């Protein structure tokens, strides 16, 4: 039942992990972060997986992680930004989860990504141009799976989590 699974989609830096943690805590549900599931299973980081085994390998692992995350009981699922690239992933998100697209302008995404300590492949070169290209390629796919869209610019994660819960409540009403 979609009301028992909340999936967060959007570009890197939109707030999926932060908002996911808050939602999981408020609902008393587990958080499944697909990138963390992949890294844990592989014993290495996502950038290492991309560098050593390539994107195709990573996307296979990502699809498996999504299936696992959406197979159980209530959970909040924070997905990687490219989860929507595979049609099967989009179908799974639509069928099994209340899916929320966390959206923010490119300059906000860049600023958020730069504020994190971890190495981000997206920040190599021109991150604004890379994120803009990804947005252009993925926006329609995010819209396709989204039951709700929440603009996260200038909002603390707590407020975004509240907006997600309000969207879920409206859906259930």
């Amino acid at each position: 039942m979609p009301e028992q699974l909340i999936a967060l989609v959007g570009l890197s830096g939109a707030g999926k992990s932060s908002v996911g943690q808050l939602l999981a805590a408020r609902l008393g549900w587990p958080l499944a972060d697909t990138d963390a599931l992949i890294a844990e299973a592989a014993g290495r980081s996502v950038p290492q997986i991309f560098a050593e085994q390539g994107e195709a390998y990573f996307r296979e692992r990502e699809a498996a992680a999504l299936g696992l995350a959406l197979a159980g009981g209530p959970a909040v699922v924070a997905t990687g930004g490219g989860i929507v690239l595979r049609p099967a992933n989009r179908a799974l998100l639509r069928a099994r989860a209340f899916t929320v697209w966390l959206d923010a302008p490119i300059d906000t995404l860049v600023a958020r990504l730069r504020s994190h300590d971890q190495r981000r492949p997206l920040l190599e070169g021109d991150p604004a141009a890379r994120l803009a290209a990804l947005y252009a390629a993925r926006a329609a796919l995010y819209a396709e799976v989204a039951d709700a869209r929440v603009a996260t610019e200038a909002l603390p994660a707590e407020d975004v989590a509240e907006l997600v819960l309000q969207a879920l409540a409206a859906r259930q009403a």
Side-chain angles (χ1 to χ4, degrees):
M1 165 183 267
E3 288 75 24
Q4 296 298 310
L5 290 161
I6 298 173
L8 303 175
V9 300
L11 287 177
S12 189
K16 301 179 301 287
S17 295
S18 300
V19 172
Q21 290 172 3
L22 291 167
L23 286 169
R26 286 187 63 180
L27 294 167
W29 294 356
L31 172 67
D33 184 307
T34 58
D35 282 353
L37 291 171
I38 295 163
E40 183 180 326
R44 55 194 187 284
S45 71
V46 170
Q48 286 175 312
I49 294 168
F50 264 86
E52 295 169 8
Q53 295 181 281
E55 184 175 357
Y57 177 85
F58 174 81
R59 297 294 174 208
E60 286 294 324
R61 305 288 65 77
E62 183 177 59
L66 180 64
L68 181 65
L70 295 178
V76 176
V77 181
T79 67
I83 200 88
V84 295
L85 295 174
R86 286 185 171 215
N89 290 348
R90 294 194 306 274
L92 197 57
L93 286 163
R94 283 191 310 271
R96 295 208 180 143
F98 178 75
T99 303
V100 180
W101 174 13
L102 300 184
D103 193 15
I106 300 303
D107 59 336
T108 299
L109 299 174
V110 171
R112 288 178 182 167
L113 291 171
R114 284 197 170 129
S115 72
H116 291 290
D117 290 335
Q118 63 188 1
R119 182 180 154 261
R120 299 265 184 166
L122 279 176
L123 295 179
E124 296 170 6
D126 182 350
R130 292 190 66 179
L131 284 165
L134 289 173
Y135 190 92
R138 296 177 182 173
L141 303 176
Y142 293 138
E144 178 186 324
V145 301
D147 295 299
R149 180 176 177 180
V150 175
T152 67
E153 181 185 23
L155 291 177
E158 294 82 5
D159 290 354
V160 175
E162 182 58 35
L163 290 171
V164 170
L165 292 174
Q166 288 174 13
L168 178 62
R171 161 89 175 239
Q172 292 173 333

